[in-house]
Each structure stands twice: as structure tokens, then as C-alpha cells.
Amino acid sequence: MAVGRAIEGVGGLFRDRPRPTPDVIMFVLTAGLLALGTVMVYSATHVRLGAETGDPTAAMRRQMLFAGLSLAAFIAGSMINYRRYRRIVFLIYGVTVAVLVAVLFFPPIQGASRWIPLWSFQFQPSEFAKVALVVVLAGFLAVRPSERLDWKRLGYALALTAVPGYLIFRQPDLGTMLVIGVIAIGILFVAGTGVKQMAVLLAAGVGGVTAVLRLDILRTYQVERLTGFFDQTADLQGANWNLYQSQIAIGSGQLFGRGLFQGTQTRLNFIPSQTSDFIFTAVGEQMGFVGGAAVIIVYAVLIWRILMVAAVTSDRFGALIAVGMASMLAFHVFVNIGMTIGLVPVTGLPLPFVSAGGSAMIAMAGGLGIVNSIWRTRTPARPGGPAP
Amino acid sequence: MGALALVFTGCLALLFIRLWFVQLAVGAEWARQADLNIVSVDSIAAPRGDIVDRNGIPLATSEPHLILEVDRAVLPLEVEGDVIQRLAAILDVSPTEVRKEVESAGSGLVATLTEFQIDSDTAYLVLEQRPNLPGVRLRTLPVRGYLRGDMMGHVLGHIGLPSLDDLEDQPWLDTNTPVGKLGVELEYEEFLQGTPGKVAYRVNPDGDILEEVGSLDPVQGSTLWLTLDVSTQEVVEGVLVEALDLANTLKEEDTDRVLPPAERAAAVVMEIDTGAILAMASHPGFEPQAFVGGIDVATFEELSSRQAFNNLVIQGLKPPASTFKVVTYVTAMEEGVFPQDVSSPEESIECSPQLAADFVDASQLVWRNWTYPESDGRQNLHEAFRRSCNVYFWEIALSIWRKYARTEQEGIVQGWAREVGFGRDTQVDLPFENEGILGDRQLFEEWQRNQPWRVRKEGWQGGDLMNLVVGQGSVLSTPLQLAVAYASILNGGVVYQPRVADRLESSGGDRVRTMERRVLRTIDIGSETVESLRADLAAVVESGTARRAFEDMGPTAALIGGKTGTAQAFTDQDGAFHDATAWFVGLAPIDDPRWVVAVMVDEGGSGGAVAAPAARAVFQHLFGQEVTPLVAGEDTER
């Protein structure tokens, strides 16, 4: 627990401030990532959109709109006292599951039923389900004051996770299903799961993955992505095309990058899904190692801030929410950036706040807003003091 | 939680190390790959298919033109100014002009410099200077060429860059390749457009082509063979201009009144046993070539203010007037409805100067024949048709009204009219056809609900039927509908789809598609009726309202049958006076008809005086005679 104490130590610098203030660093970094995403989406789309529709800024304007809504979601999340969610966790859970069931009945887009059309937008419930599950699991596991979880409660928690996980798998959206699992593991770990229980969970996890691979439950493209990952020189035109092109783009950025709006790979559309899952290739090519590393550091600081909230709050519910959010953010960043540089298999997860895609941005910004709300109310209000 | 923090730190550190490895340790190799990796795929526009007349005389072709392109994605910004200077020197124009053209495309896009003519010398200079002109490319682009000015403009139509709607419907369209917008260019777009080719090059970041990776040749669109005949079309177009001159000369001679000039006219020549159209002309017209490379706004607005883009043959709606009497004639014969106390087509009544109707509704009560104040003598159905006696036909309407008002049978005239093609589209293979109007009780009720300003509140009345049987009031049709109606009755009851296209052939000469003659429906019409009508149509030309118009034709006039029509002059809601519309629909050879000719001169005055002579000139051409100048025929029917 040395690191934990170290974090608490740093957090202690702020602990005795008389008035709970919002976490300015968290807000500024989130806004910075949203701005970066807008610029990167423009750099990757303006040539094609200009040529095809005469409106080079269309994708960027959409991204700006989502960025604005995300900031609003952050502020809204910050303003609402997160403790109120505790009383309605099962309502939140019920609505989430209902929407995840509903989405399966909408017409599939490119073979996946992930979206519900809303005016000219595509609402993606699974993105909000991740945040909702963090709150629900935190609420369910924070009821016990003791450090240990019994098997029964662990079983319930797993069941709570499995239902949305299965529904998302049915869409199918393997990446998001994995996020759901990681959130659960992160929260369970901090909520006091014992070593024996963890070992059983891990064994079950490994068994599950093996079964999935063996039993033909995965679609062919999913298997190809996985096997392709283990032999990255095979099938460069097919399954490994994205990975190959994305490494070319990032690699060619070298130390300082090719300069904003200068990367040939980004401008000329070599990389499929570049504005969504592969947005980091635009960062890597145009801004180089310096830019890419800076982005990773920004995420590191964000995760550090969230974990510190978990460390300093006196409320167990808040601490578990923060841990869940940190797990979710870290997993997204690791898998997304990792896949563009050949570190993990290609999985369709957005880079938080940077990738195009409104639902993910807004949901995650709202999630960080909740964390900020925990930070603002981390110490109980003192009698006569200002309201938290 | 510390452990969790450790795991996260470890993961991010892994990303960091891997990023360092990809970008810095082996980055140089990836960068080299990126340079090799710029594959530039150029689309090669396909030439549009040719359009030729029925004898293969070319009307529209595709000619390769050299054009310059500047790829601003490849042209570095620092040297753009220099490149523009060099290009201006080669093209011998000012750098400002070149800059304007280049900047017409946004940064990073390809500017197409269509403004500048590139001959082979200029092309050579560009190729020679190539190393100093990064991003500049020469390209041959097929350009549409119309070989005969404004001839057949309405049938050919025109092309233009795809609109947003076009792109929405057909997302595969290239925004820079024109598509058909009107006429057969639009109707047969999918066959004419061809298939673009592709060529893929590996280029370095400066745009220098390193190697060609692969290519696919473009395929020219199919050749469209029209049913139209250039020589007939030429005559018909000329005759329309002459007919307008004739109408306007007659107006000037009329010292009693100041009449608005005639400005629009249309004519169509169709084979009655196939539906193939030999000529289709509408005046005023336009030159399709004006649209190639984009039409300028002033020209476009001038042409549209004169309604020059309207093909009156399929869009010009006018009351068919007495030409509609063939329908009433057929109804009388087939249904056995004649004036009161008349039981056969041979029995005659007085074609009095005026008729007093005994309506008790809101209908007009006094109806004047065009001979008013003279009587036209006693006439039976045949004579009334020949002399275009309205009174006889009104009496038919009155008989129908007395017997059948407000029953199913009330609409027997409209029933026959609809069978022969009034109030419905002819399905001609041209876009934007107008289906016209055919009034009856049902339509009036519909209008009372949707467009109450169009009809009086009393609804369908006996007077409306009286108007309709002589082709006035609530019946409006196009010249093509009249041609189709006459053709279908006179060929014994087969309604063919009229068409301007005969077949499509690939540029290699293989048959792609043949537009077979198509029967839309058959009408059960007695051969006695057809024979009787045929004789009476011949009598109109021999001794009726069209006699004088065909005098110049000599004995051949005996081979022609037809009917004049003169739609009443009227004053519109804005108080403007509109002169009568002149009509003639004729068939030849009348013993065994082969062609139908319909002529309409908008505000041209009398059908006998203006439209019939115009049709006479067209028949002269069809019979291989010398086409003599138009001379006014008899001023009838008004």
C-alpha cells in the first residue's frame, strides 16, 4: 500500500482547504483532450470532405458540438451531489438494462445493433452503460463496512455485471464488453475481494476466453484480429491492414511529427476508422513522439487525479466510483493507444475525449463530472461551514 | 488501491516504451514506408455515349479535351506562388487568373483548370517543365459536343454537374463529372454515362509518380439511337418558325384589334403503328452546348424567362378545342348518343347560329356557334365534324346530360377520352411529361376539397360537359396526347407508348437494349366507327375547315385527313389578353394511316388559318414533295 499512502500524502496537501473546490486540473485536462480531438478529426477529414461534399469542416463541427455537450455533461455531473445516486442504483441499473435490450431491436449498422437513431445522431447506449455500471457496482459493494466480501455478494456483483456484459456482447461489441469486465474487476479488487476469490475469478476469466475462442462464438473478423495480432506480418492487405497502416503513420511521425495538417497518411486516408478508433495515428503522425507522449502523460495525470479522489474521500461509495472510473479510463487508453502501436490486438474502443463519437465522449465526461462531485464533497460539511 | 495504481502506471509505461520504439527506434523505417505508401488513385472519366438519329447521323458526341489539374495536396505551399508564375508564363495569361482558378479548390484539393485551352504545344511545355511544377498534371477529359446547334434541343436535353439530390440518390457519382439533366440525356443517363476507369500510382510525397500500380480503362457509354430523323426534324423546326411569322403577319393585318404576338409553338410527328417519334419540336428552344462546362447565369435566365427549356410537345397544356371532337364523335357512334330526336349519324339538324340550353343549374344558357350570326345549314354528324359545328356537338352533350346526368353513364365522353390517353401520361421516354387535365364530377369534387379556387361551388354542371365535348373548359392536353389519341383511334384501337429512343448499342457496336414497340392498352372500338371517322377526317381536308390550307399541296392533299382546332381566346386573372391557340392534328396516308402530325401554335389564332398550313408543309416533306412556303388557310372556328 506504499503507493496508496504516497497518493494520500499528496492529496493531503489539499485536504484541509476550508472550501471544497472543483478539481481544476481535471477539468482543464479534459477540455484540452476535447480540443485536441477536434483538431485531429479536422486533420483527418478535411481533405476528403472538401473533395466529396465541398464542406471540409462538417466532421469537425460535429466533434465541436459533442465536445461542448461533453463539457456540459462534466459540469452537470459536478454540480449534482453524487450521493443521491446511491438511493437509485437499482433504478439506474434497470433503465440501463432496458435500453441495452431495446437497442438490439434497432436495425443493425454494418452488422452491429449498437445504435439508436435520434434525430441526426446515433445514440450508443453501451457507452452510458459503462458509467452506469460503475455507479451501480459501487453502490452495491459499498454497503458493507467490513473489508471482506463474502462469496454470496461477490456472486451477485458478478451477476450484475454479466447481464449488461452479455447484452453488449450480443450487439456485438467485444471491446465494450471487456471494459465492463475490467470495471468490475477494478471495483471488486478495491472493494475487498480476497486473494482466493481473485484467483477463482481470474481462472474463470481465462476459461471463459478459451471457451469463447474454441466454441465459435466469436465472429470470424474477431478471431482474425486476435490471431492477426500474434503474427503481425501475415495478411497485410486483410486483417492486419489497419495495424500495419497505423504503425506506418505513427512511426513516420518520429520525434517531432510531420507537422499539423502535413501527415500524408492522415490526409490521404490510408487508415480506416481513423477518426474513431484510430485517431491516435493522427496524433502520432502529425505531432510525433513528443505529442504522443504528452497525450499519454495527460491521461496519466487524469488517472492520478481520479485515484486521489478515491484515496481522500471518506465515503466508500465515492471511492469505489472513482476506482471504477479510473479503471475504465485506463483500460480505454491502454487498449486504444496500444492497438495503434501493435501492443494489444485491434479492439474497437475509442480514445477517451479524442475519438469521434458523441456518446462515448459525453458519457465519460459525465463520469468524470461525478468524480469531480466526489472531490467537492470529500469531507463532510462542518457545522457552520459553507455547504459542500 | 496502491496495487491498482501500480498496474495503471505499468500499463502507461508500456505504452510509453512501445511508442518510443515505434517512433524513434524503428521510426525511420516506418517513415520510409510512409513515403512509399502514397498511392494516388486517379479516376479516368468515361466518355458519354454518342446520340445519333435513326439513320446514324451524329447529334451528340464526346471529344477528348486536354486540361490542367493542380493537386494542392501535393503542391507545397512555399512554392505555390512560383508554380503559379510558371504556369501563367506557359499559358500566356496573368498569374492572378491562374491563382484564382487554383484557389477555386480548397487547400489540399485538386483544382481543375478548365478555363484554359491546352493545345499540344502548351501540353509539351508543361511536360518539359514538370520537375518545376510539382502537383501539376495534364489530363484528357472527354467533353460533350452537340453537333447541330439548337436542333432537337428539347429531346436531347442537356447535362450539368450532379446536384446534391443527385449525389444523395447516386452516391457513387463523381462530383466533377456531368450527368444528364433533361431530355434523353437524363432519361438514358445510366446507359450514356459509361464506366469511369481508374489508374493507381505509387507517388512520393512530392507527387512524383514512382510507378503505376494498376489501371482499369474507362468504358464509353452506350450509343443512343433515336427514332427521330434529322431531315424531318429540320423541316418541322423550320415550319414552326414560319407558322409563328404567319400568325403574327395575320395579327398585323387585323386592323380592328391589337393582338399579342404568338411566340410559342410545338409539333410532333409519330408513326401510328409503332409509337416511334420522327420529329418533336418546341419553339423557342435552346442550345444544349451552352450547358457544357456550365451555363452562365445571364443566358440561363434569359432562356428561362422565355420558357425555352419547356418542351411544349410533352409539357404545353392547352385546351385541345375542336381537335377533341374526335372523342365526342367516337362516343356518339359507339354509344349511340345523338342530338335530341336524332337516331343515326346520317340524320341532320340545323347548325343554328346559337343554341339555348334548358339548364336549371348555374350553367350558361346561350351558346353561340363560331359562325354566329350566320347559320351553317342543316348538318348530320359527318358534316358537323367537317364544318366543326359546335351546335351539333353541344346537342350530343345535352342528350347525354338529359339521359345520364348524375349517373355512371354521365362520364361516357371522358371515359373514351381517358381510353385514348387524355388526362394521363403517354409514358413517352422523356422526363417531366405533363399529364394534362380531364374534367368530370369526381375531379371537380376533388378540387372543391383541395383547390377550391379552381372550380365554382356548384360543382360539375351540364355546361361543363358542353364545354368539354368541344375541347374547351376543363380539358387540357399536350400535342403529344393528341397525336397518341388520333393514332390509337385510327389504327383500330391500339395505344402504343410513344418513344424517341430506338436502341442502345455499346461503343463497340453490340446491341445493349432495343426499345421494342410497346402496347400500353387496346381499346374496343368498332371498325365502322374508325372507317367513318377516317372518311370524315379526309373530308375536313378535302372540303372542310382545312381545305384552303392544303390547296397548295395539289392532288396529294387527297391523301391527308385531319382536324382543325381553335381554342378560345381569353383574358387571364391579371387582365392580360391571350389569343386563341391554333391546332391541327392530321394523318396520312388517310386510307391506311402511317403518320400522325400534331401542330400547336400558342396564341397563333385560327387552327385552319395557321396550324393546318404548317402541318401541310410537314406532310409535303413526308411525301417527298418540295416544301412550299406557308400561306394562311381559312380563318375558322372563332
Coordinates of all heavy atoms in Angstrom, one line a residue, chain A residues 336-380:
Chain A
N336 N -6.7 1.4 -26.6 CA -6.7 2.2 -27.8 C -5.4 2.5 -28.3 O -5.1 2.2 -29.5 CB -7.6 3.4 -27.5 CG -7.7 4.2 -28.8 OD1 -6.7 4.9 -29.2 ND2 -8.8 4.1 -29.5
I337 N -4.5 3.1 -27.5 CA -3.2 3.5 -28.0 C -2.4 2.3 -28.2 O -1.7 2.2 -29.3 CB -2.5 4.5 -27.0 CG1 -3.3 5.7 -26.8 CG2 -1.1 4.8 -27.4 CD1 -2.7 6.8 -25.9
G338 N -2.5 1.3 -27.4 CA -1.8 0.1 -27.5 C -2.0 -0.6 -28.9 O -1.1 -1.1 -29.5
M339 N -3.3 -0.6 -29.3 CA -3.6 -1.3 -30.6 C -3.0 -0.6 -31.8 O -2.6 -1.2 -32.8 CB -5.1 -1.5 -30.8 CG -5.8 -0.3 -31.2 SD -7.6 -0.7 -31.4 CE -8.2 0.9 -31.8
T340 N -2.9 0.8 -31.7 CA -2.4 1.5 -32.8 C -0.9 1.3 -33.0 O -0.3 1.5 -34.0 CB -2.6 3.0 -32.7 OG1 -2.0 3.5 -31.6 CG2 -4.1 3.3 -32.7
I341 N -0.2 0.9 -31.9 CA 1.2 0.7 -32.0 C 1.6 -0.8 -31.8 O 2.7 -1.1 -31.5 CB 2.0 1.6 -31.0 CG1 1.4 1.4 -29.5 CG2 1.9 3.1 -31.4 CD1 2.1 2.2 -28.5
G342 N 0.6 -1.6 -32.0 CA 0.9 -3.1 -32.1 C 1.2 -3.7 -30.7 O 1.8 -4.7 -30.6
L343 N 0.6 -3.1 -29.6 CA 0.9 -3.6 -28.3 C -0.2 -4.6 -27.9 O 0.0 -5.5 -27.2 CB 1.0 -2.5 -27.3 CG 1.7 -2.7 -26.0 CD1 3.1 -3.2 -26.2 CD2 1.7 -1.4 -25.1
V344 N -1.4 -4.3 -28.3 CA -2.6 -5.2 -28.0 C -3.4 -5.4 -29.3 O -3.2 -4.6 -30.2 CB -3.5 -4.6 -26.9 CG1 -2.8 -4.5 -25.6 CG2 -4.0 -3.2 -27.3
P345 N -4.2 -6.4 -29.3 CA -5.0 -6.7 -30.6 C -5.9 -5.6 -30.9 O -6.3 -4.8 -30.0 CB -5.8 -8.0 -30.2 CG -5.1 -8.6 -29.0 CD -4.5 -7.5 -28.3
V346 N -6.3 -5.5 -32.1 CA -7.2 -4.4 -32.6 C -8.6 -4.7 -31.9 O -9.2 -5.7 -32.1 CB -7.4 -4.4 -34.1 CG1 -8.5 -3.4 -34.5 CG2 -6.0 -4.0 -34.7
T347 N -9.1 -3.7 -31.1 CA -10.4 -3.8 -30.5 C -11.0 -2.4 -30.6 O -10.4 -1.4 -30.5 CB -10.2 -4.1 -29.0 OG1 -9.2 -5.1 -28.8 CG2 -11.5 -4.5 -28.3
G348 N -12.3 -2.4 -30.9 CA -12.9 -1.1 -31.2 C -13.3 -0.3 -30.0 O -14.4 -0.3 -29.6
L349 N -12.3 0.3 -29.4 CA -12.5 1.2 -28.2 C -12.1 2.6 -28.5 O -11.0 2.8 -29.1 CB -11.8 0.7 -27.0 CG -12.3 -0.5 -26.2 CD1 -11.5 -0.8 -25.0 CD2 -13.8 -0.3 -25.9
P350 N -12.9 3.6 -28.2 CA -12.5 4.9 -28.5 C -11.4 5.5 -27.6 O -11.3 5.0 -26.4 CB -13.7 5.8 -28.4 CG -14.6 5.0 -27.5 CD -14.2 3.5 -27.7
L351 N -10.6 6.4 -28.0 CA -9.6 7.1 -27.2 C -10.4 8.2 -26.4 O -11.0 9.1 -27.1 CB -8.5 7.7 -28.0 CG -7.3 8.3 -27.2 CD1 -6.7 7.3 -26.4 CD2 -6.3 8.9 -28.2
P352 N -10.5 8.1 -25.1 CA -11.4 9.0 -24.4 C -11.2 10.5 -24.7 O -10.1 11.0 -24.7 CB -11.1 8.7 -22.9 CG -10.6 7.3 -22.9 CD -9.8 7.2 -24.2
F353 N -12.3 11.1 -25.1 CA -12.4 12.6 -25.3 C -11.8 13.0 -26.7 O -11.9 14.1 -27.1 CB -11.8 13.4 -24.2 CG -12.3 13.1 -22.9 CD1 -11.4 12.6 -21.9 CD2 -13.6 13.2 -22.6 CE1 -11.9 12.2 -20.6 CE2 -14.1 12.8 -21.3 CZ -13.3 12.3 -20.4
V354 N -11.0 12.1 -27.3 CA -10.3 12.5 -28.6 C -11.0 11.9 -29.8 O -11.3 12.5 -30.8 CB -8.8 12.1 -28.5 CG1 -8.1 12.5 -29.8 CG2 -8.2 12.7 -27.3
S355 N -11.4 10.6 -29.7 CA -12.0 9.9 -30.8 C -13.4 10.5 -31.2 O -14.1 11.0 -30.3 CB -12.3 8.4 -30.5 OG -11.1 7.7 -30.5
A356 N -13.7 10.5 -32.5 CA -15.0 11.0 -32.8 C -16.1 10.0 -32.3 O -15.8 8.8 -32.1 CB -15.2 11.0 -34.4
G357 N -17.2 10.5 -31.9 CA -18.2 9.7 -31.3 C -18.8 10.3 -30.1 O -18.1 10.4 -29.1
G358 N -20.0 10.8 -30.2 CA -20.6 11.7 -29.2 C -20.9 10.9 -27.9 O -20.6 11.4 -26.8
S359 N -21.5 9.7 -28.1 CA -22.0 9.0 -26.9 C -20.8 8.8 -25.9 O -20.9 9.0 -24.7 CB -22.6 7.7 -27.3 OG -23.7 7.9 -28.1
A360 N -19.7 8.3 -26.4 CA -18.6 7.9 -25.6 C -18.0 9.2 -24.9 O -17.8 9.1 -23.7 CB -17.4 7.3 -26.4
M361 N -17.9 10.2 -25.6 CA -17.3 11.5 -25.0 C -18.2 12.0 -23.9 O -17.8 12.3 -22.8 CB -17.3 12.6 -26.1 CG -16.2 12.4 -27.1 SD -16.5 13.4 -28.5 CE -15.9 15.0 -27.9
I362 N -19.5 12.1 -24.2 CA -20.4 12.7 -23.3 C -20.5 11.8 -22.0 O -20.5 12.3 -20.9 CB -21.8 12.9 -23.9 CG1 -21.7 13.9 -25.1 CG2 -22.8 13.4 -22.9 CD1 -22.9 14.0 -26.0
A363 N -20.6 10.5 -22.3 CA -20.8 9.6 -21.1 C -19.5 9.7 -20.2 O -19.6 9.8 -19.0 CB -21.0 8.2 -21.6
M364 N -18.4 9.7 -20.8 CA -17.1 9.7 -20.0 C -16.9 11.0 -19.3 O -16.5 11.1 -18.2 CB -16.0 9.3 -20.9 CG -15.6 7.9 -20.6 SD -14.0 7.5 -21.2 CE -14.4 6.0 -22.0
A365 N -17.3 12.1 -20.0 CA -17.2 13.4 -19.4 C -18.1 13.5 -18.2 O -17.8 14.0 -17.1 CB -17.5 14.5 -20.4
G366 N -19.3 13.0 -18.4 CA -20.3 12.9 -17.3 C -19.7 12.1 -16.1 O -19.8 12.5 -15.0
G367 N -19.1 11.0 -16.4 CA -18.4 10.2 -15.4 C -17.4 10.9 -14.6 O -17.3 10.9 -13.4
L368 N -16.5 11.7 -15.4 CA -15.5 12.5 -14.7 C -16.2 13.6 -13.8 O -15.7 13.9 -12.8 CB -14.6 13.1 -15.7 CG -13.5 12.2 -16.3 CD1 -12.4 13.0 -16.9 CD2 -13.0 11.2 -15.3
G369 N -17.3 14.1 -14.3 CA -18.1 15.1 -13.6 C -18.5 14.5 -12.2 O -18.4 15.1 -11.2
I370 N -18.9 13.2 -12.2 CA -19.3 12.6 -11.0 C -18.1 12.5 -10.0 O -18.2 12.8 -8.8 CB -19.9 11.2 -11.3 CG1 -21.2 11.3 -12.1 CG2 -20.2 10.4 -10.0 CD1 -21.8 10.0 -12.6
V371 N -17.0 12.1 -10.6 CA -15.7 12.1 -9.8 C -15.4 13.4 -9.2 O -15.1 13.5 -8.0 CB -14.6 11.6 -10.6 CG1 -13.3 11.6 -9.8 CG2 -14.8 10.1 -11.1
N372 N -15.6 14.5 -10.0 CA -15.4 15.8 -9.5 C -16.4 16.1 -8.4 O -16.0 16.8 -7.4 CB -15.5 16.8 -10.7 CG -15.0 18.2 -10.3 OD1 -14.2 18.3 -9.4 ND2 -15.4 19.2 -11.0
S373 N -17.6 15.7 -8.5 CA -18.6 15.9 -7.4 C -18.1 15.2 -6.1 O -18.3 15.8 -5.0 CB -19.9 15.3 -7.9 OG -20.8 15.2 -6.8
I374 N -17.5 14.0 -6.3 CA -17.0 13.3 -5.1 C -15.8 14.2 -4.5 O -15.8 14.3 -3.2 CB -16.4 11.9 -5.5 CG1 -17.5 11.1 -6.1 CG2 -15.8 11.2 -4.3 CD1 -17.0 9.8 -6.8
W375 N -15.0 14.7 -5.3 CA -13.9 15.6 -4.9 C -14.4 16.8 -4.1 O -13.9 17.2 -3.0 CB -13.1 16.0 -6.1 CG -12.0 17.0 -5.8 CD1 -12.0 18.4 -6.1 CD2 -10.7 16.8 -5.1 NE1 -10.9 19.0 -5.7 CE2 -10.1 18.0 -5.1 CE3 -10.1 15.6 -4.6 CZ2 -8.8 18.2 -4.5 CZ3 -8.9 15.8 -4.1 CH2 -8.2 17.0 -4.0
R376 N -15.5 17.4 -4.6 CA -16.0 18.6 -4.0 C -16.6 18.3 -2.6 O -16.6 19.1 -1.7 CB -17.1 19.2 -4.9 CG -16.5 19.8 -6.1 CD -17.7 20.4 -7.0 NE -18.3 21.5 -6.4 CZ -19.6 21.8 -6.4 NH1 -20.4 21.0 -7.1 NH2 -20.1 22.9 -5.8
T377 N -17.1 17.1 -2.4 CA -17.8 16.7 -1.2 C -17.0 15.7 -0.4 O -17.5 14.9 0.4 CB -19.2 16.2 -1.5 OG1 -19.0 15.0 -2.4 CG2 -20.1 17.2 -2.1
R378 N -15.7 15.7 -0.6 CA -14.8 14.7 0.0 C -14.8 14.7 1.5 O -14.6 13.7 2.2 CB -13.4 14.7 -0.5 CG -12.7 16.0 -0.2 CD -11.4 16.1 -1.1 NE -10.7 17.4 -0.8 CZ -11.0 18.5 -1.4 NH1 -12.0 18.6 -2.2 NH2 -10.3 19.6 -1.1
T379 N -15.0 15.9 2.2 CA -15.1 15.9 3.6 C -16.5 16.3 4.0 O -17.1 17.2 3.3 CB -14.1 16.9 4.2 OG1 -14.2 18.1 3.4 CG2 -12.7 16.4 4.2
P380 N -17.0 15.7 5.0 CA -18.4 16.1 5.4 C -18.4 17.6 5.8 O -17.4 18.1 6.3 CB -18.7 15.2 6.6 CG -17.6 14.2 6.7 CD -16.4 14.7 5.9

